[in-house]
Amino acid sequence: MSSLEDRFRRAIKVAREGLSELYPSCALAMGDELKYLEEYLTQNREPALFDIASLTKPLATLPILIENKINIESKIYDFLTRDEIQDSEKKKIKIVHILEHKAGFQAHIPLFEEIEKNFPILQADDKNFFYLEESTKARIREKMIELASESNLCGNVEEKTLYSDIGFICLTGFIEKYLSKKLLQIFEEVKKKLSLENIYFYNYTPEKEKIVKTYHYHRVHDENSFYMDSLSLHAGLVSDLKSISTLCTYFLNKINFEDGRKKIESGERFFLGFDSFIVQNKILFGHLGFTGCGFWIVPERKEFCIFLSNRVFPSKGRYAEKPPEKFLKLRKRIWEIFSGSD
């Protein structure tokens, strides 16, 4: 297999092919225990922050769980509500079920629609939310978590795998109640422990002008995350390459991916908060994000690859649409080059 440097050069060449037609900006990094390579194909060729969408799921959730020593066998509804849960299936839901998308939650619910019905001041795609009092924003965010936790399941626990944003919104509420702290404070404490720098929840980014544009400018792309003030574990983070690379190294040191390999080989797709990608008998662990980003780790080589892009129109308006096939093929080529299977 070719060297990391050679694979990086080939992958960055592929990334350049998508500029202008598929995305205005992108960035790529590859690394291992000894080397770290990165390049930003942004307007000024300078480091920038990207809306990393669903990469928030592993990149925020797992360090919070690990550093706070939260048992993934904990049942979330023991903390999510003050009342006795009548739904026997919800009583069974553990953190690990959410991480591996086997909790029975619906994949996605446009909770923002219900919020706009309950708070008439809000109108689709306007800026009113930013001008609300902080107490009102907090009420809206609590309502989002309540709507998610009270939503109907679409299957039994462990019955099937269904990738779900709703489960991670519920997990956000659980962790806040379990630790008696708000997510922003929890994550800031983890950042300090791990010496992370340029990774933030969108609305709490010190220099928003450094965030590369997506469909929405100067606000988080995900609609449900928007009404959670960007403070959610399903989507909401912005980051640069270096911060994600630090977390990739952290995962390589903290997580037993051999357990993950066995799980994937048995037919599962997810391991803890990671998705899996199998190419020529190699199992990569990582995640993809709706705004055109992703990262993968090859545990046995202790290597990682991060690709960030700002596919400016990943959806029309407020509802998700499938990305262009050409983009999907290009991104896959990058992962294949990285894995050494191309």
Side-chain angles (χ1 to χ4, degrees):
M1 186 177 62
S2 58
S3 69
L4 191 70
E5 292 90 341
D6 179 62
R7 282 176 281 143
F8 179 78
R9 285 194 296 269
R10 290 166 57 207
I12 202 70
K13 183 178 179 182
V14 172
R16 286 195 187 99
E17 292 175 11
L19 286 173
S20 299
E21 181 185 355
L22 297 176
Y23 39 79
S25 299
C26 68
L28 180 74
M30 287 188 194
D32 60 18
E33 292 179 302
L34 301 175
K35 293 177 287 294
Y36 175 72
L37 307 164
E38 71 170 34
E39 187 166 341
Y40 283 87
L41 301 177
T42 52
Q43 187 174 7
N44 301 315
R45 296 298 189 266
E46 294 179 354
L49 298 168
F50 287 77
D51 181 336
I52 60 172
S54 284
L55 270 61
T56 302
K57 292 181 175 74
L59 296 183
T61 307
L62 292 180
I64 286 172
L65 293 174
I66 293 168
E67 294 303 314
N68 287 282
K69 297 180 172 56
I70 300 175
N71 188 343
I72 62 172
E73 296 295 320
S74 301
K75 294 182 177 180
I76 68 163
Y77 278 91
D78 287 348
F79 284 82
L80 264 180
T81 179
R82 298 172 187 164
D83 303 319
E84 175 66 21
I85 288 290
Q86 301 304 313
D87 189 322
S88 59
E89 283 303 308
K90 285 185 175 180
K91 288 181 180 180
K92 301 175 186 176
I93 297 174
K94 301 175 182 178
I95 294 174
V96 66
H97 296 138
I98 293 173
L99 295 178
E100 300 187 349
H101 300 279
K102 300 195 79 168
F105 285 110
Q106 298 175 59
H108 174 73
I109 304 171
L111 302 174
F112 59 88
E113 293 179 349
E114 191 64 29
I115 292 296
E116 287 165 0
K117 291 176 186 174
N118 282 272
F119 295 85
I121 190 173
L122 301 171
Q123 296 175 18
D125 287 327
D126 71 10
K127 298 178 180 179
N128 285 353
F129 181 77
F130 291 113
Y131 301 107
L132 296 177
E133 293 181 358
E134 292 304 312
S135 59
T136 305
K137 288 183 184 179
R139 280 171 49 220
I140 290 172
R141 186 172 178 277
E142 286 299 315
K143 185 65 175 177
M144 288 287 294
I145 294 172
E146 179 186 310
L147 289 169
S149 63
E150 291 181 353
S151 65
N152 295 326
L153 300 181
C154 64
N156 294 331
V157 176
E158 295 189 316
E159 182 179 52
K160 61 181 179 180
T161 301
L162 180 64
Y163 182 83
S164 172
D165 281 356
I166 302 304
F168 276 81
I169 294 174
C170 293
L171 185 55
T172 302
F174 165 85
I175 286 175
E176 290 187 331
K177 290 188 176 181
Y178 183 85
L179 296 177
S180 299
K181 299 175 184 176
K182 291 301 181 185
L183 183 61
L184 184 61
Q185 179 185 350
I186 296 167
F187 191 64
E188 287 299 318
E189 290 171 355
V190 169
K191 281 177 60 176
K192 186 175 181 180
K193 283 184 183 179
L194 304 186
S195 299
L196 296 170
E197 294 182 2
N198 296 316
I199 184 166
Y200 311 95
F201 283 102
Y202 201 115
N203 289 0
Y204 298 86
T205 306
E207 299 175 277
K208 282 193 175 180
E209 66 272 12
K210 290 186 178 179
I211 303 175
V212 180
K213 294 180 182 179
T214 55
Y215 182 88
H216 298 295
Y217 187 46
H218 276 189
R219 82 164 177 84
V220 67
H221 181 87
D222 184 274
E223 295 300 311
N224 282 340
S225 181
F226 176 61
Y227 282 142
M228 293 183 71
D229 200 18
S230 81
L231 299 172
S232 179
L233 293 175
H234 80 283
L237 286 180
V238 297
S239 184
D240 65 357
L241 291 170
K242 191 64 178 174
S243 296
I244 299 174
S245 72
T246 300
L247 284 167
C248 287
T249 302
Y250 173 80
F251 294 145
L252 283 166
N253 290 327
K254 289 285 186 177
I255 291 174
N256 183 355
F257 284 102
E258 178 61 19
D259 289 344
R261 183 186 64 78
K262 292 175 182 176
K263 185 176 283 286
I264 304 309
E265 287 178 346
S266 72
E268 298 291 346
R269 173 181 164 185
F270 295 98
F271 168 61
L272 298 180
F274 299 101
D275 201 346
S276 60
F277 176 49
I278 303 174
V279 52
Q280 290 189 3
N281 296 321
K282 293 186 184 72
I283 301 174
L284 284 67
F285 295 91
H287 215 286
L288 298 177
F290 184 67
T291 46
C293 49
F295 76 94
W296 293 105
I297 293 169
V298 181
E300 58 267 30
R301 298 203 307 253
K302 294 191 177 298
E303 290 182 350
F304 58 84
C305 177
I306 305 155
F307 175 65
L308 307 178
S309 77
N310 63 326
R311 212 162 40 82
V312 173
F313 297 103
S315 62
K316 295 180 180 178
R318 317 179 76 197
Y319 300 92
E321 289 198 356
K322 188 177 179 181
E325 196 65 32
K326 193 169 185 179
F327 172 82
L328 296 177
K329 288 180 179 178
L330 181 145
R331 189 169 62 175
K332 186 178 179 183
R333 281 170 61 199
I334 291 173
W335 309 138
E336 289 172 341
I337 291 170
F338 164 64
S339 72
S341 62
D342 65 310

